[in-house]
């Protein structure tokens, strides 16, 4: 700094009273105010600071990589990546299931159920591992593997139903997109939100549905239900209306609210500045819900078309 220079140790530069005896007065001596050197230095400092501020404003907004924090954009990218893996392995599962057969009603007994069963078992095991270990550490590799197994399952089951009911996969896919799109739009607009009361009702309904599904599976495996009921209790009718259709509508509503919970979790994670790795859990939650929704819609359409 200029004031630290020994040349300015003269009392004339420090004592304001010296102004009266200094030739030229205060303006010439710069007494009682900053020196020209200090003024120039301050102006240079201000210019540099302004330049840095302008650079900061002009720079792109810091993303998840720079902040290491969870963001909506990063969660969306991870979700897209997981569904890309699912689609690839779904194509593998589709081809594996059909084994080169032409899709006709007569080939239903010839298709392979291996990808369906492998994908179902692998996806279930990995989902449990991810759910119960994510509190300590999020492992993206397990979530990628889950997406791959779910793809095998989706490809296998879709091929099977397509053989029985041509065009059903496209119908189920469009219906799934419609439900997801409407739910996302309602959530984004603020018209639908998760609440404690609604979540409690959701959990009770989910437990009840899981018990019903497990009971139906046991009754089918043990041969208690008639063989002509392909979907077990779902194939039963109430006043001419398939029970599977009634339950299907109920389950679609449950799945839609589950999506709301997923969106709400992501929103709270971003708001709480959660670590970036938790975006994987947000993407994982959305995939689990969408796969569940697709399978339920697929079964509901099959029941409707089968009853006709």
């Amino acid at each position: 700094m200029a004031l630290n220079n020994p040349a300015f140790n003269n009392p004339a530069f420090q004592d304001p009273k010296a102004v009266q005896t200094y030739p030229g007065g205060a303006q010439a001596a710069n007494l009682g105010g900053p020196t020209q050197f200090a003024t120039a230095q301050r102006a240079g400092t201000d210019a540099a600071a302004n330049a840095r501020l302008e650079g900061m404003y002009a720079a792109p907004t810091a993303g998840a990589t720079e902040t290491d924090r969870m963001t909506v954009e990063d969660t969306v990218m991870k979700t897209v990546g997981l569904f890309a893996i699912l689609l690839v392995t779904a194509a593998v599962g589709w081809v594996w299931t059909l084994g080169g057969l032409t899709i006709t009603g007569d080939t239903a007994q010839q298709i392979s159920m291996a990808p369906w069963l492998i994908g179902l078992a692998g996806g279930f095991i990995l989902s449990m591992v991810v759910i119960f270990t994510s509190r300590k550490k999020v492992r993206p590799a397990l979530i990628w593997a889950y997406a791959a197994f779910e793809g095998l399952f989706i490809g296998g089951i879709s091929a099977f139903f397509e053989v029985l009911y041509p065009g059903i996969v496209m119908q189920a896919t469009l219906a799934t997109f419609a439900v997801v799109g409407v739910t996302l739009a309602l959530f984004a607009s603020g018209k639908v939100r998760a609440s404690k009361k609604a979540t409690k009702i959701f959990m009770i309904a989910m437990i009840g549905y899981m018990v019903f599904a497990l009971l139906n599976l046991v009754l089918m495996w043990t041969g208690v239900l008639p063989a002509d009921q392909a979907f077990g209790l779902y194939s039963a009718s109430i006043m001419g209306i398939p029970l599977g259709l009634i339950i299907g509508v109920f389950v679609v509503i449950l799945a839609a609210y589950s999506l709301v919970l997923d969106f709400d979790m992501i929103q709270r994670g971003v708001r709480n500045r959660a670590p970036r790795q938790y975006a994987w859990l947000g993407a994982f939650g959305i995939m689990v819900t969408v796969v569940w929704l697709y399978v339920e819609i697929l079964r509901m359409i099959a029941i409707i078309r089968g009853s006709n």
Side-chain angles (χ1 to χ4, degrees), residues 231-280:
F231 297 98
L233 295 175
Y234 292 94
S235 299
S237 298
I238 298 178
M239 295 185 295
I241 302 175
L243 180 60
L245 177 59
I246 300 173
I247 296 177
V249 173
F250 169 72
V251 173
V252 168
I253 295 174
L254 286 182
Y257 187 76
S258 181
L259 277 175
V260 172
L261 293 178
D262 294 334
F263 298 150
D264 183 69
M265 184 198 75
I266 294 171
Q267 190 178 67
R268 285 187 287 110
V270 173
R271 186 168 53 245
N272 295 337
R273 296 178 60 80
R276 185 188 178 194
Q277 61 177 351
Y278 285 96
W280 285 110

Side-chain angles (χ1 to χ4, degrees), residues 31 45 80 93 117 134 138 151 172 182 199 206 215 234 262 280:
L31 295 178
T45 302
V80 171
L117 298 177
S134 59
V138 178
V182 170
T199 302
M206 274 295 298
L215 176 62
Y234 292 94
D262 294 334
W280 285 110

Side-chain angles (χ1 to χ4, degrees), residues 27-43:
Q27 292 181 351
N30 285 321
L31 295 178
T35 64
Q36 292 180 355
F37 184 81
T39 302
Q41 187 180 44
R42 183 178 296 109

